[in-house]
Amino acid sequence: MDKKYKIFDSHAHYDDDVFNEDRDGLIKELNESGVIGILNCSSSYKSIAKTCELINKWDFIYGAVGIHPENADEFTDERELEICKVIKNNIKIIAVGEIGLDYYWDKNPSREIQKDVFRRQMKIAENENLPVIIHDRDAHGDTLEIMKSFPTVKGVVHCFSGSVEFAKECLNLGYYIGITGVVTFKNAKKLLEVVKEVPIEKLLVETDCPYMAPEPNRGKRNKSDYIEYIIDRIALIKEIDPIQVNIHVNDNFYRLMQLEKYSRI
């Protein structure tokens, strides 16, 4: 990676099994090459403990805890209390997530189960005064409705896949828009319009690694230093200096996550 950037990856999954063979070496290498921070987002009940292990081991990794909609049937009263306890006991848990709705896969839990679990985790965020990391796939209407029902909760709609109009609705609620490597794909015309229209002050950059590696690494295992390609593409779309993009997206992340101390470019 070109060390001209100081990268904060606002959404990653280094607890994923695909990193089992080289996780520690890779994370150390990323930190030495200019990745100054990572937000590791849990998705399943099992991944909450793995996320906690990562943030306890690495100073520059923070955590978000929550149950992904694909695993909504794992959410129970007991586990809800456990999530709250994890949040209270670790100051490096800075968000609730990855939570939300996913209507793309028929095999996912029912829509009613997903919506109930989404609401309950939004309530946790409200009670704990934490931002949320929202997953929304083919569920824009229901996602927006639930977001509106928790007006004091803010966060990011990660891996944004909606229209400019949906993005503006999210912005009106105080949310940020998460941009992944998809913005580098040739068929990402809708996302290019979103990036063009959304103010730079409301954009975050993320890998969602190990998924969605940007061009020219599409199809490979994604990792945090690949964010340089996302920054370059955003700079091209918005016709501004890429270093300024880097500064803005880092500032945006720290503002949303209420992290006061950090290193500027």
Side-chain angles (χ1 to χ4, degrees), residues 101-103 108-116 138 142:
L101 302 174
D102 192 316
Y103 294 169
N108 284 350
S110 72
R111 295 186 178 190
E112 290 309 309
I113 289 175
Q114 288 189 46
K115 287 189 286 186
D116 177 62
D138 289 359
D142 286 348

Side-chain angles (χ1 to χ4, degrees), residues 95-110:
V96 175
E98 176 178 353
I99 64 175
L101 302 174
D102 192 316
Y103 294 169
Y104 182 78
W105 298 106
D106 292 336
K107 64 181 181 180
N108 284 350
S110 72

Side-chain angles (χ1 to χ4, degrees), residues 4 14 27 33 42 50 101 105 109 128 138 158 162 170 179 187-189 201 213 255 259-260:
K4 67 181 180 181
Y14 284 105
I27 291 174
S33 66
S42 64
K50 290 184 176 181
L101 302 174
W105 298 106
E128 300 295 337
D138 289 359
H158 117 88
C170 296
I179 306 300
N187 61 348
K189 293 181 180 180
E201 293 80 11
R255 186 186 315 118
L259 293 175
E260 295 179 358

Side-chain angles (χ1 to χ4, degrees), residues 39-248:
L39 180 64
N40 201 81
C41 301
S42 64
S43 55
S44 64
Y45 172 69
K46 181 180 178 181
S47 71
I48 292 174
K50 290 184 176 181
T51 293
C52 289
E53 289 176 9
L54 284 171
I55 66 177
N56 289 334
K57 184 169 186 175
W58 299 96
D59 289 343
F60 73 110
I61 300 182
Y62 296 84
V65 292
I67 303 295
H68 189 286
E70 289 184 2
N71 302 305
D73 52 6
E74 296 181 357
F75 193 89
T76 63
D77 292 345
E78 181 180 348
R79 288 175 176 177
E80 181 176 11
L81 293 174
E82 187 174 342
I83 289 171
C84 293
K85 184 178 180 181
V86 169
I87 291 170
K88 291 181 184 298
N89 289 341
N90 199 322
I91 61 172
K92 290 184 71 184
I93 298 296
I94 59 174
V96 175
E98 176 178 353
I99 64 175
L101 302 174
D102 192 316
Y103 294 169
Y104 182 78
W105 298 106
D106 292 336
K107 64 181 181 180
N108 284 350
S110 72
R111 295 186 178 190
E112 290 309 309
I113 289 175
Q114 288 189 46
K115 287 189 286 186
D116 177 62
V117 171
F118 185 17
R119 290 190 186 97
R120 290 173 69 176
Q121 294 186 97
M122 289 287 283
K123 187 64 178 178
I124 293 174
E126 181 180 65
N127 291 341
E128 300 295 337
N129 190 31
L130 288 178
V132 290
I133 314 296
I134 291 182
H135 175 103
D136 161 43
R137 190 173 189 188
D138 289 359
H140 303 326
D142 286 348
T143 298
L144 192 62
E145 180 182 347
I146 292 174
M147 289 164 61
K148 287 180 176 179
S149 66
F150 292 89
T152 65
V153 177
K154 309 304 177 188
V156 55
V157 181
H158 117 88
C159 190
F160 192 84
S161 61
S163 63
V164 170
E165 291 71 27
F166 179 57
K168 289 179 178 179
E169 292 265 21
C170 296
L171 296 179
N172 289 338
L173 295 175
Y175 280 75
Y176 291 73
I177 304 300
I179 306 300
T180 65
V182 172
V183 75
T184 68
F185 297 173
K186 292 180 180 179
N187 61 348
K189 293 181 180 180
K190 185 168 66 172
L191 185 56
L192 297 186
E193 287 301 313
V194 169
V195 171
K196 186 176 180 179
E197 294 295 325
V198 172
I200 189 66
E201 293 80 11
K202 300 299 289 187
L203 292 177
L204 297 181
V205 292
E206 56 177 85
T207 56
D208 199 24
C209 71
Y211 314 106
M212 289 184 296
E215 298 287 0
N217 299 298
R218 189 174 183 179
K220 297 180 181 179
R221 184 182 69 172
N222 205 358
K223 56 194 181 85
S224 296
D225 54 350
Y226 287 171
I227 279 179
E228 65 175 315
Y229 301 108
I230 302 173
I231 290 172
D232 287 344
R233 184 56 58 91
I234 292 173
L236 186 64
I237 295 167
K238 299 188 85 64
E239 299 181 341
I240 58 179
D241 181 71
I243 293 295
Q244 291 303 311
V245 173
N246 189 193
I247 291 172
H248 275 296

